[in-house]
Amino acid sequence: MFMARVKGNVVTTQKVEKMKGRKMLVVEPVRVNPDNSGIIGTGRSFIAVDTLGAGTGELVVITQGSSSRMTSGTSDAPVDCVIIGIIDSVTIMGDKLYETDQ
């Protein structure tokens, strides 16, 4: 599992039958700064299937590979990356690095 930030969405007009109706988002994996001062992007990006309703700018938990096909919303689809959680807060060694506005 990895932390990632939702950067945007993907719209496709043509896709395989098993992917129809599935929301896809662009996510950038993030990491904690070595000095625990914050969370920064890695500069890479993935397309992840969203079964939870995540939005742009939110911090999420993603999983990749065969684990991404183990959710009830992706078990029958050719999925390699899925959002499995929306993060409310991240605390490292007593320091709160992230907290959602909601």
Side-chain angles (χ1 to χ4, degrees):
M1 292 183 287
F2 303 92
M3 286 191 300
R5 186 171 307 278
V6 177
K7 302 303 269 187
N9 55 2
V10 175
V11 177
T12 60
T13 56
Q14 300 291 320
K15 56 183 134 187
V16 296
E17 189 67 32
K18 299 253 182 191
M19 291 300 290
K20 289 185 178 176
R22 297 179 195 272
K23 180 180 171 187
M24 294 184 286
L25 298 174
V26 177
V27 297
E28 177 187 14
V30 297
R31 63 183 180 88
V32 175
N33 258 345
D35 62 0
N36 291 340
S37 63
I39 296 173
I40 58 173
T42 62
R44 302 175 351 181
S45 61
F46 296 97
I47 297 174
V49 171
D50 176 30
T51 60
L52 300 176
T56 301
E58 287 189 295
L59 209 56
V60 295
V61 178
I62 61 171
T63 191
Q64 296 178 279
S66 60
S67 296
S68 63
R69 290 180 297 283
M70 297 178 107
T71 72
S72 60
T74 59
S75 61
D76 65 341
V79 173
D80 189 55
C81 186
V82 65
I83 295 170
I84 60 169
I86 300 173
I87 296 173
D88 295 318
S89 66
V90 176
T91 304
I92 304 286
M93 310 250 328
D95 294 325
K96 190 162 281 190
L97 303 183
Y98 171 83
E99 186 164 25
T100 185
D101 295 336
Q102 300 174 1

